[in-house]
């Protein structure tokens, strides 16, 4: 594994290898990183969890983390992503974790740099490490992914989490259902009726409305959205025994999910965040060992 770009490219064997290694690391295994590796996190979109989680994973692996502040970088002077990456390669970086508002930003880099690229979210494209931590959390809960019924609810057409999640869950024979307003269904088949999907779902994954990716759409009422498409407290009571709530966060309480559900006994939202560190350690260790 040279890079991590999308779930389809990682494939089922690659996914299982990462999940198994993340489980070992979570269980206390000692990371195996040989020589010093230099890594930097290039975030051209806001991030709390993903960026800090990568930084924690990098430090736990003993990597040398070189600071990069997108808001103070030469990209503000018109430098392209390609020229930025080639510059960091020339300085001696081994790997770059990149988040970009551009779908498939990595296309302009492929085959043109020897630095390892880890996709930390590309526009409305993919979010591979989020999906790996979602799969890890589901497997930890249910022991398997096969046959799981997972409802993804919200702004799916603009969500990279929904797309990489669907791609990966389907590889493992999970039954993915989508609940969303018809104007946000994109190429997903969707339902607007919670009763069609809720009663037998093993997991419900809520998504934040991606206002920053909407262009010139009409007014949005958080209250009406919550009533129609959100996971309300009443709906959570009708979930089946043992079913769990997932959310990649940031959470907008009272919009896609009732505030009181964030720390409900069904919620695994903070467990997802915890698991993310181990999954990212496994990804970075695998990629960097391959370069030694
Ligand atoms: C998501 C993202 O940035 O794609 N969050 C995350 O990385 N944990 C989801 C979102 O922004 O709503």
């Amino acid at each position: 594994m040279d890079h991590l770009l999308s779930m389809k490219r990682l494939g089922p064997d690659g996914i299982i290898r990462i999940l198994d290694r993340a489980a070992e690391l979570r269980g206390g295994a000692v990371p195996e990183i040989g020589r010093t590796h230099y890594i930097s996190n290039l975030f051209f979109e806001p991030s709390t969890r993903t960026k800090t989680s990568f930084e924690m994973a990098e430090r736990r692996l003993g990597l040398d983390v070189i600071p990069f502040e997108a808001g103070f970088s030469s990209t503000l002077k018109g430098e392209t992503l390609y020229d930025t990456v080639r510059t960091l390669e020339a300085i001696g970086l081994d790997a770059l974790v990149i988040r970009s508002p551009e779908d498939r930003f990595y296309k302009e880099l492929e085959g043109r740099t020897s630095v390892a690229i880890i996709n930390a979210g590309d526009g409305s494209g993919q979010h591979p490490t989020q999906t790996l931590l979602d799969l890890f959390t589901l497997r930890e809960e249910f022991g398997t992914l096969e046959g799981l019924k997972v409802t993804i609810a919200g702004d799916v057409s603009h969500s990279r989490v929904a797309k990489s999640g669907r791609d990966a869950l389907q590889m493992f024979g999970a039954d993915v259902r989508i609940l969303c307003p018809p104007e946000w269904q994109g190429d997903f088949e969707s339902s607007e009726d919670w009763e069609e999907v809720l009663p037998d779902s093993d997991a419900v994954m809520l998504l934040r409305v991606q206002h920053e990716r909407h262009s010139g759409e009409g007014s949005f009422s958080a209250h009406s959205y919550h009533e129609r498409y959100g996971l309300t407290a009443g709906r959570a009571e009708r979930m089946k025994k043992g079913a769990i709530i997932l959310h990649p966060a940031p959470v907008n309480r009272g919009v896609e999910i009732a505030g009181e559900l964030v720390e409900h006994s069904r919620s695994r939202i903070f467990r997802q965040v915890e698991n993310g560190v181990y999954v990212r350690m496994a990804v970075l260790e695998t990629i960097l060992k391959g370069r030694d």
Side-chain angles (χ1 to χ4, degrees), residues 25-42:
L25 291 164
R26 191 162 179 135
V30 178
E32 292 164 16
I33 290 280
R35 66 172 173 90
T36 305
H37 290 90
Y38 297 96
I39 188 160
S40 201
N41 303 297
L42 281 55

Side-chain angles (χ1 to χ4, degrees), residues 45-47 49-50 99 120-121 123 126-127 130 133 159-161 207-210 212-213 247-250 280:
E45 275 190 353
S47 174
R49 270 152 297 276
T50 307
R99 167 171 288 190
Q126 294 268 303
H127 194 343
Q130 178 66 45
L133 76 87
S159 169
R160 50 199 177 206
V161 178
L207 302 171
R208 182 180 64 86
V209 178
Q210 307 275 298
E212 70 275 32
R213 301 188 210 289
H247 193 315
R280 292 182 173 110

Side-chain angles (χ1 to χ4, degrees), residues 268-286:
R268 297 293 178 272
I269 297 174
F270 290 101
R271 183 77 183 179
Q272 288 173 273
V273 177
E274 264 183 59
N275 288 338
V277 176
Y278 298 101
V279 158
R280 292 182 173 110
M281 287 173 74
V283 166
L284 294 170
E285 185 195 60
T286 305

Side-chain angles (χ1 to χ4, degrees), residues 4 9 44 47 71 99 153 156 164 213 229 240 262 265 269:
L4 176 61
R9 292 211 205 178
F44 299 101
S47 174
R99 167 171 288 190
V156 293
S164 40
R213 301 188 210 289
Y229 300 107
K240 82 176 197 194
V262 173
S265 57
I269 297 174

Side-chain angles (χ1 to χ4, degrees), residues 202-275:
D202 297 295
V204 176
M205 181 191 295
L206 290 318
L207 302 171
R208 182 180 64 86
V209 178
Q210 307 275 298
H211 293 289
E212 70 275 32
R213 301 188 210 289
H214 295 182
S215 53
E217 286 170 31
S219 66
F220 174 78
S221 157
H223 178 73
S224 333
Y225 182 84
H226 184 62
E227 291 303 310
R228 180 113 193 242
Y229 300 107
L231 188 65
T232 60
R235 288 184 182 126
E237 271 175 32
R238 296 200 299 284
M239 288 171 70
K240 82 176 197 194
K241 190 166 180 286
I244 61 168
I245 297 169
L246 301 175
H247 193 315
V251 167
N252 283 177
R253 289 175 182 244
V255 186
E256 71 277 6
I257 181 171
E260 68 210 78
L261 298 179
V262 173
E263 288 160 274
H264 188 274
S265 57
R266 290 190 185 280
S267 168
R268 297 293 178 272
I269 297 174
F270 290 101
R271 183 77 183 179
Q272 288 173 273
V273 177
E274 264 183 59
N275 288 338

